[in-house]
Amino acid sequence: MWRVKPLDAILATAEKKSLHRTLGAFQLTMLGIGAIIGTGIFVLTAEAAQKAGPGMIAAFIIAGFVCAVAALCYSEMSAMVPVSGSAYTYSYAVMGEMIAWMVGWALILEYAVAAGAVSVGWSGYVVGLIENAFAIDIPNALVLGPMDGGIVNLPAAGVALLVTWLLVIGTRESAAVNAVLVLVKVAALTLFCVLALPVMKMENFTPFAPLGFSGVAAAASIFFAYVGFDAVSTAAEETKNPQRNMPIGLIGSLAVCTLFYILVASGVIGTVGAQPVMDAAGVGLRPGSPELTAACQSLADTHVVCSKEALAWTLREIGWVQIGNLLGLAAGLALPSVILMMMFGQTRIFFVMSRDGLLPSGLSKIHPKFHTPHVITIITGVCVSAFAAFFPVGVLADISNSGTLFAFAMVAIAVMVLRKTDPRRKRPFRTPMVWIVAPVAILGCGFLFFSLGRDTKMMFLIWAAIGLVVYFAYGFRNSHLGRGIIDVPELAADAPPDSVPPMPGAQ
């Protein structure tokens, strides 16, 4: 369980069965922005207002700070180990196979579940655009999942399958389409800031924290707005000059997105207000609950917290009705770029886990024409489509956060361990003040994780238990490392006699 795959073996494996290197620094930054700016700011702004009021600005800053220190750790590891796998690969090289498996298993929650959440967010904007711009009433049964009072969210399921097809046809094509969609998305947010910021009213910022410390703790949910920057690291094996380009892509995309979040949140609060809807006892109602839905109906949906398309709704409220509809159109066009990056990251995690023997080798098959891992891409797409069809955005977002925070903490630990165990290894990028930055990242991730709801934490533990069962039933017995299949001959020759005996024919 604690066997460690040497970094040289990881790099050698990637060279023998690798993906094509086609991505540069600009494409990586665009991929990062495409992964980060999405449902978190376009849709979950309403939930952030209900959980924190105007204090959601502080929550955005707290979550962004935790991501920033984690990004510095990611930059060192991804530049030093430029292969697919992200936190899974780093953990395998430092903390052992079982921890690596659990990290990879947790990343399923981050990427696949997050892709489902973004698909639901996309559906909300598209349905809102159709209803407002064309006065067409769409039955809730076809655009909402069972927990939201519908039957199935067909638009969300459909867009997930469309993105799956795009990913199958190739990384280069996916990145090119993504770059265009990112520009559309950035232009829409810029236009929102231009129209909203000049008409802000400072009285809308008070009271700043109507729910007290619990509003600041809402950073645990708002953290979803930043989920995705680490997806850049999963593209390391497909990156040209990764030692230079990976840190640029990671830190650059995070910096751009944090600035946008603060400006957009300020625009929403300052123009239409962001005070949460309270019950008779003065307690904030839970987002996504039947109680909040009923309260919004009695208020005639006059609060931003009641909207499923918060930014478009805000522009309509301040007099820019057609511009609001255009922003809804832009979100409908651009949010698929986030789904694309989430699914891109998930398929690359599965690809490298299969390549290590922890999952069936058939999952890592490369398409002869498109040169992409098409089998696992299709499987992932079907699962994401199912998540989007039947679950609400808030539930999916919180579940995704739990897996993300666990993976981030493991990367910070890996950086510190490797500084001690392999101090002479070349580090093209070194985390500054690592003995301060990495512990802060771990503590920050821990604080946000334990701030999540009880049900979310319980689901994470259940998912982790299922992962352990799968590992011991298949991965432990079929691991290439456990069977002595190491891609660096001299490492295999130097293996200690107490190691797991190699199978016949092992290299």
Side-chain angles (χ1 to χ4, degrees), residues 200-436:
M200 290 194 306
K201 300 177 181 178
M202 297 309 297
E203 56 266 28
N204 286 338
F205 286 85
T206 56
F208 186 75
L211 300 178
F213 181 77
S214 63
V216 175
S221 296
I222 292 173
F223 182 80
F224 182 77
Y226 293 95
V227 169
F229 86 85
D230 60 311
V232 175
S233 68
T234 67
E237 194 172 316
E238 295 162 88
T239 300
K240 297 178 291 186
N241 190 12
Q243 291 78 10
R244 169 185 176 271
N245 293 335
M246 289 306 300
I248 294 176
L250 282 163
I251 299 175
S253 59
L254 186 62
V256 171
C257 294
T258 301
L259 177 61
F260 263 122
Y261 284 177
I262 294 174
L263 292 176
V264 170
S266 298
V268 171
I269 297 167
T271 54
V272 298
Q275 297 299 327
V277 176
M278 308 283 196
D279 61 14
V283 178
L285 297 174
R286 182 173 60 85
S289 65
E291 294 80 10
L292 180 60
T293 300
C296 286
Q297 290 175 348
S298 65
L299 293 169
D301 294 331
T302 55
H303 285 55
V304 70
V305 301
C306 300
S307 175
K308 293 186 180 297
E309 41 164 1
L311 304 190
W313 182 89
T314 298
L315 288 180
R316 296 189 192 110
E317 287 295 303
I318 62 175
W320 299 98
V321 177
Q322 295 305 322
I323 300 297
N325 290 337
L326 285 177
L327 189 143
L329 176 62
L333 292 173
L335 285 180
S337 69
V338 188
I339 307 170
L340 185 149
M341 263 315 299
M342 294 294 99
M343 292 179 60
F344 178 96
Q346 177 59 73
T347 57
R348 271 47 181 182
I349 296 294
F350 269 136
F351 172 81
V352 76
M353 292 175 75
S354 173
R355 191 170 62 184
D356 288 338
L358 298 180
L359 290 172
S361 60
L363 298 180
S364 63
K365 285 184 178 179
I366 302 297
H367 195 283
K369 178 180 179 181
F370 301 126
H371 305 291
T372 57
H374 62 292
V375 175
I376 193 56
T377 299
I378 293 172
I379 293 174
T380 299
V382 171
C383 293
V384 170
S385 180
F387 295 151
F390 299 109
F391 291 94
V393 63
V395 171
L396 293 173
D398 280 354
I399 294 173
S400 173
N401 288 347
S402 66
T404 307
L405 290 166
F406 177 75
F408 283 10
M410 291 299 104
V411 171
I413 293 173
V415 167
M416 293 190 295
V417 172
L418 207 55
R419 284 286 186 99
K420 287 292 186 180
T421 59
D422 197 358
R424 295 185 179 181
R425 182 171 291 275
K426 182 181 178 182
R427 290 170 169 80
F429 177 88
R430 296 179 66 89
T431 302
M433 299 183 294
V434 67
W435 301 110
I436 297 177

Side-chain angles (χ1 to χ4, degrees), residues 126-143:
V126 170
V127 171
L129 174 65
I130 294 174
E131 292 183 340
N132 283 280
F134 302 103
I136 298 175
D137 188 20
I138 302 176
N140 286 340
L142 301 180
V143 297

Side-chain angles (χ1 to χ4, degrees), residues 35-101:
I36 299 170
I37 294 183
T39 291
I41 191 65
F42 278 98
V43 179
L44 292 184
T45 302
E47 290 209 11
Q50 179 60 23
K51 291 183 177 182
M56 67 177 172
I57 292 180
F60 273 126
I61 294 173
I62 292 171
F65 173 76
V66 173
C67 278
V69 290
L72 292 172
C73 297
Y74 260 96
S75 295
E76 176 169 324
M77 294 300 296
S78 61
M80 185 168 51
V81 191
V83 300
S84 291
S86 185
Y88 158 78
T89 298
Y90 311 150
S91 300
Y92 209 162
V94 179
M95 292 177 286
E97 185 174 274
M98 188 177 73
I99 298 296
W101 167 268

Side-chain angles (χ1 to χ4, degrees), residues 1-6 92 97 356-358 471 474-486 495 498-504 506:
M1 294 187 297
W2 308 110
R3 52 201 177 207
V4 174
K5 187 172 185 180
Y92 209 162
E97 185 174 274
D356 288 338
L358 298 180
Y471 171 68
Y474 183 88
F476 179 76
R477 301 175 183 276
N478 293 277
S479 162
H480 289 176
L481 184 63
R483 294 163 57 193
I485 303 176
I486 301 178
D498 293 334
S499 61
V500 178
M503 293 182 65

